[in-house]
Amino acid sequence: MRILFSLIYISIIALFVIIFLLFTPQVFVLGKLDKISYFIISTICVILEENVLIILLKQSIYTENFFHLLLFIFGLTLFLFVYISIYIYRLGKEKEKNDRLIQSITINQMEARQNEEIINSTHSLRVFKHDIMNHMSILYKLVENGKNSDALKYIYQINNSIERTSYTISTGIIPIDCIMTAKLSKALDNNISIKHQIHFPANYNISDMDLCSLISNLLDNAIEANCKLDMTKRRLQIEIKPYNNMLLLFISNSSNGIYLYGGNGNLLTTKTSNKNEHGIGIKRINEIVKKYNGIIEFDPGTEIFSVSILFPLDN
């Protein structure tokens, strides 16, 4: 009798869990503590049911209400298990909801900083253009007074300022031009040597917003990796062009050769500055690539890290 009721009890629980998994529209997320709690509660319920049955079989086997009492205990234990399972399920759903909300807020904050970088870059260029007449007046006075060496030094300073404030990318796609100009200006501010070949075809089918997010995250990772190295070793290469009826995005940067990998072999971020943004950049890159049926390949070398992305082009 004890074996029979135990098998029935476990079968009902198993059926309950299977139905939960089959008819749940989304996978819910449980933390490690929640999983341990769920396992402990399940084990306690089974042990409780076993012991109650043993006691009843020993003491009440000749009573008339034995089976009714047995069914009552069995039903009560099953009810408690189901109730606790639903409670833990709701906890998991809330955790998943909160995680998505935190990720959404973090992405918005990252994009807000990107917009701020664009605004600052544009503002610096406007300020420089506004001051150019003053620079010309100073140069005129220096040359007029025969201070040619001072004039040359001043020109050299202006030239350095021009390189940092007016480094512009012109692809004909305004959002792309803005984000790339801001990121490459940031790279120059960090003494990173830049080589680029950028040509967007007319028939790519990626939204400007997703393309800006993709390029921004790729360049942020490349700039941060370079900043870990000595200034003489900092390199950044960018290629965006059509390739065999595909859009190729290739970014290569100098690296210290230190990488982290997940349990599934996927590359993880090594950022430590902001824990809330930990891994979101790489996750966002993979989401965009998957959204547009693209192919991505990371090549982590000892001195160079590169990433290649291919998107199909419209015919």
Side-chain angles (χ1 to χ4, degrees), residues 1 6 74 125 183 194 236 239 247 287:
M1 184 69 70
S6 297
F74 175 80
L125 183 58
K183 296 300 180 183
I194 301 172
L236 174 61
E239 290 186 28
L247 174 61
E287 285 177 352

Side-chain angles (χ1 to χ4, degrees), residues 21 27-44 81 84-85 87-89 91-93 95 99:
L21 294 176
V27 177
F28 65 96
V29 180
L30 287 178
K32 184 179 293 184
L33 183 61
D34 297 326
K35 292 178 181 178
I36 294 173
S37 300
Y38 189 87
F39 176 77
I40 292 174
I41 290 169
S42 303
T43 305
I44 290 174
F81 178 81
I84 294 171
S85 298
Y87 177 73
I88 293 178
Y89 173 81
L91 283 180
K93 294 297 294 182
K95 182 177 184 299
D99 289 345

Side-chain angles (χ1 to χ4, degrees), residues 66-82:
F66 167 68
F67 285 104
H68 294 91
L69 183 61
L70 199 63
L71 289 173
F72 172 76
I73 297 296
F74 175 80
L76 179 63
T77 308
L78 182 62
F79 169 78
L80 291 174
F81 178 81
V82 171

